[in-house]
Amino acid sequence: MFDPAVLVPALLTLGVFSILYRENLVYRIIEHVGVGLAAGYALAMIIRTGLIPRILSAAADPVALVTMALAIPACVGIAVSSWRRNTLGTVGISVAASIAAGLALPGIVENLILEQMRATMVPIGLSSDAGFDSLVVAIGVLSTMAYFSFTREPRGIRGVAALTGLYTLMISFGASFGYAAMSRFTLLIGRFLFLLRDWLHLVR
Amino acid sequence: MRLDYLALLASLTRIDRRILYLLVALAIVIPLLAASGTRVTPAAESEGFFRAVQRVSEGQTVLLAADYNGATAFELEPMVTTLVQEVFSRGARLVLVCLDPQGIGLVEAKVQMLADAAGKTYGTDWVFLGYRPSAPGVIMSLASAPYTVFPRDHRGTSLRALPLAAGLSGHSDYQLVAVVASGPAAQDWVIYGHARYRAPIVIGLGGGLGPTFQGFLDTHAIAGLIAGLRGAAEYEQLTGRPGEALRALSAQAMAHLLLIALIILGNAAFFAAKWRDRPPV
């Protein structure tokens, strides 16, 4: 209970919970310390695992230092980090963004568009569970598309389809929100379990 | 004296929020103190995850991307624990990466503990490659030229000096790619990894992202999915390794029941107040 490795996190957890009673200085201090520690740790890790190995490998291979392998990316990196806008930095960002978009495009088109469309276009029916699922998916997709069709005022059958689309969206958002609530409760349970088990030893 | 139920119900709209927080705390603490066991019925996607891991056999290699940090550790660590225990118990080897810079220490400590418990040796049975910036670049490079992006492991040892990593060549090294991620980084593994790795991909996610990835099951881009504490509990049950997720699920269920009750009561109170304050006809 008095082990600093457990006592300090336990007291910090209680300090964070204190915001539930009312706004207070302890919570604000812990919040800032937490955010600062997380950002500082991440930065240290990025420098240690990303930047330093690059510098060390350059030191081990001086040829690379003055050739394209490192010299050009380093110059572009410095230009991009510069406070003042400059051509090299702008070109560097453009090239990096273009490469990223080019590499991402095939995967996005295949996995997020074509494959999803293919998975939607399956036989529908009421005779089997899979067929009924497909029917629900087809109705959901078509009605949601109808909801986002703004060329004409949604009246009659178009209005019914748009309303169905709206409810489909609401059910979808509701499912996502339900999962998000579950996720937050899980993290809260984790904190309570830490307090009850690791700190107070009330549960095994 | 006749009790005014409408006024009583309407008064709930003015309830102090701290009472609600206290109720939530009690709903979580009591099941944890009671330590009641829970059983769940595994979903099809959890069974897919389970079957994909079961297909890994002795001597084969699993690539595990554990991309989470302290903020989401409680939700995702049970998945990593059960998965790593399964991989080691099957005699398979593990190549571990972490694409979240805030999670490096957590992930390494957890897998080191599990490896020690299973009697596995670092470098021979498992290796931790560590972190590199830019998830898409790492995912693609690991599939084509692992030594370019990870010339050394997280501990600074040359990858070629480690028996497990010495033979790595890229996409065909792995029999399974497992991703446990708290953020949308998991989607990068589908977008950039699906076509590049010849192994099935299974994903463990924070609960909030679960519905987003259901579509990838229909397209067979992933072989299995476990989302949130519920998914972790289902996987624990399927493997017969009850752990933290199954233990915490009763508290989760109680909190959900309370939430549903509060939503119903809140709506009832809202309409009661509206009815009471309606203008006279």
Side-chain angles (χ1 to χ4, degrees):
Chain A
M1 182 187 269
F2 297 106
D3 176 9
V6 177
L7 183 64
V8 173
L11 293 177
L12 291 174
T13 302
L14 292 177
V16 170
F17 283 166
S18 70
I19 187 69
L20 299 175
Y21 183 69
R22 69 171 159 205
E23 174 71 45
N24 63 79
L25 184 65
V26 173
Y27 168 77
R28 283 289 159 209
I29 291 171
I30 295 171
E31 185 190 30
H32 285 81
V33 168
V35 173
L37 271 177
Y41 181 79
L43 183 66
M45 281 298 160
I46 289 168
I47 290 171
R48 187 189 151 196
T49 60
L51 195 61
I52 290 178
R54 285 282 176 198
I55 294 169
L56 288 178
S57 68
D61 182 12
V63 178
L65 201 60
V66 291
T67 57
M68 284 181 67
L70 278 171
I72 292 176
C75 290
V76 173
I78 292 166
V80 168
S81 307
S82 170
W83 287 105
R84 294 181 64 182
R85 189 174 169 178
N86 59 79
T87 309
L88 186 57
T90 309
V91 170
I93 290 173
S94 307
V95 170
S98 307
I99 291 171
L103 287 171
L105 205 59
I108 288 174
V109 170
E110 186 194 341
N111 290 295
L112 301 185
I113 301 174
L114 295 179
E115 288 294 329
Q116 296 296 331
M117 286 170 67
R118 196 171 292 142
T120 309
M121 293 180 227
V122 290
I124 57 175
L126 297 169
S127 55
S128 66
D129 284 352
F132 183 71
D133 286 352
S134 307
L135 182 65
V136 172
V137 169
I139 291 171
V141 169
L142 292 174
S143 61
T144 305
M145 287 167 72
Y147 177 74
F148 284 106
S149 171
F150 303 118
T151 47
R152 286 185 192 169
E153 191 179 350
R155 281 186 181 170
I157 188 76
R158 287 169 63 94
V160 173
L163 193 65
T164 310
L166 177 66
Y167 281 112
T168 305
L169 285 171
M170 286 167 69
I171 292 168
S172 166
F173 294 147
S176 289
F177 183 74
Y179 263 100
M182 181 176 84
S183 187
R184 298 297 174 266
F185 272 125
T186 303
L187 303 180
L188 184 63
I189 292 166
R191 284 293 83 196
F192 273 116
L193 198 56
F194 168 75
L195 292 174
L196 295 173
R197 184 183 55 192
D198 301 348
W199 186 41
L200 299 173
H201 304 293
L202 290 176
V203 293
R204 287 188 179 181
Chain B
M1 193 178 78
R2 189 168 164 272
L3 192 61
D4 188 351
Y5 291 107
L6 202 63
L8 187 67
L9 199 55
S11 69
L12 286 177
T13 55
R14 297 188 301 275
I15 195 168
D16 193 324
R17 71 182 195 287
R18 283 168 288 202
I19 293 173
L20 302 181
Y21 295 150
L22 190 65
L23 288 176
V24 170
L26 288 174
I28 289 172
V29 169
I30 291 170
L32 288 178
L33 288 174
S36 55
T38 312
R39 287 192 67 78
V40 287
T41 308
E45 56 263 32
S46 301
E47 286 179 355
F49 191 106
F50 172 70
R51 279 196 301 272
V53 180
Q54 292 295 104
R55 278 194 283 271
V56 176
S57 52
E58 191 173 351
Q60 295 184 325
T61 308
V62 173
L63 173 64
L64 169 60
D67 307 334
Y68 63 88
N69 54 48
T72 49
F74 185 74
E75 195 172 23
L76 298 172
E77 258 187 6
M79 298 177 190
V80 170
T81 302
T82 316
L83 177 66
V84 172
Q85 284 174 338
E86 272 295 291
V87 169
F88 283 154
S89 73
R90 306 189 70 74
R93 303 180 302 174
L94 186 72
V95 173
L96 180 69
V97 289
C98 175
L99 300 183
D100 186 333
Q102 291 181 1
I104 300 167
L106 278 174
V107 169
E108 187 181 19
K110 172 55 78 177
V111 178
Q112 178 72 64
M113 191 187 76
L114 295 167
D116 290 345
K120 299 293 178 181
T121 312
Y122 185 81
T124 308
D125 300 309
W126 72 286
V127 64
F128 183 36
L129 300 181
Y131 166 82
R132 289 288 181 278
S134 173
V138 173
I139 294 164
M140 288 185 289
S141 301
L142 262 178
S144 56
Y147 296 111
T148 311
V149 66
F150 288 105
R152 293 175 181 278
D153 70 348
H154 182 63
R155 299 174 181 184
T157 311
S158 171
L159 229 52
R160 293 181 195 279
L162 296 167
L164 167 56
L168 291 180
S169 58
H171 55 79
S172 56
D173 296 324
Y174 312 108
Q175 275 62 53
L176 179 72
V177 176
V179 182
V180 178
S182 57
Q187 190 163 295
D188 288 340
W189 282 95
V190 178
I191 291 171
Y192 298 99
H194 177 224
R196 287 184 172 82
Y197 291 89
R198 290 182 185 166
I201 297 176
V202 291
I203 291 183
L205 285 171
L209 290 166
T212 318
F213 281 73
Q214 289 284 338
F216 294 133
L217 286 166
D218 296 332
T219 62
H220 305 293
I222 57 176
L225 173 71
I226 48 177
L229 194 70
R230 165 89 192 192
E234 289 175 3
Y235 186 49
E236 281 180 1
Q237 186 165 302
L238 283 164
T239 57
R241 299 176 188 277
E244 291 231 305
L246 271 171
R247 180 203 184 103
L249 207 61
S250 53
Q252 179 96 318
M254 193 62 82
H256 283 186
L257 284 174
L258 176 68
L259 192 68
I260 292 166
L262 289 175
I263 289 171
I264 293 169
L265 264 179
N267 277 280
F270 171 76
F271 286 111
K274 206 172 170 182
W275 177 259
R276 190 193 57 185
D277 300 336
R278 71 190 188 286
V281 181

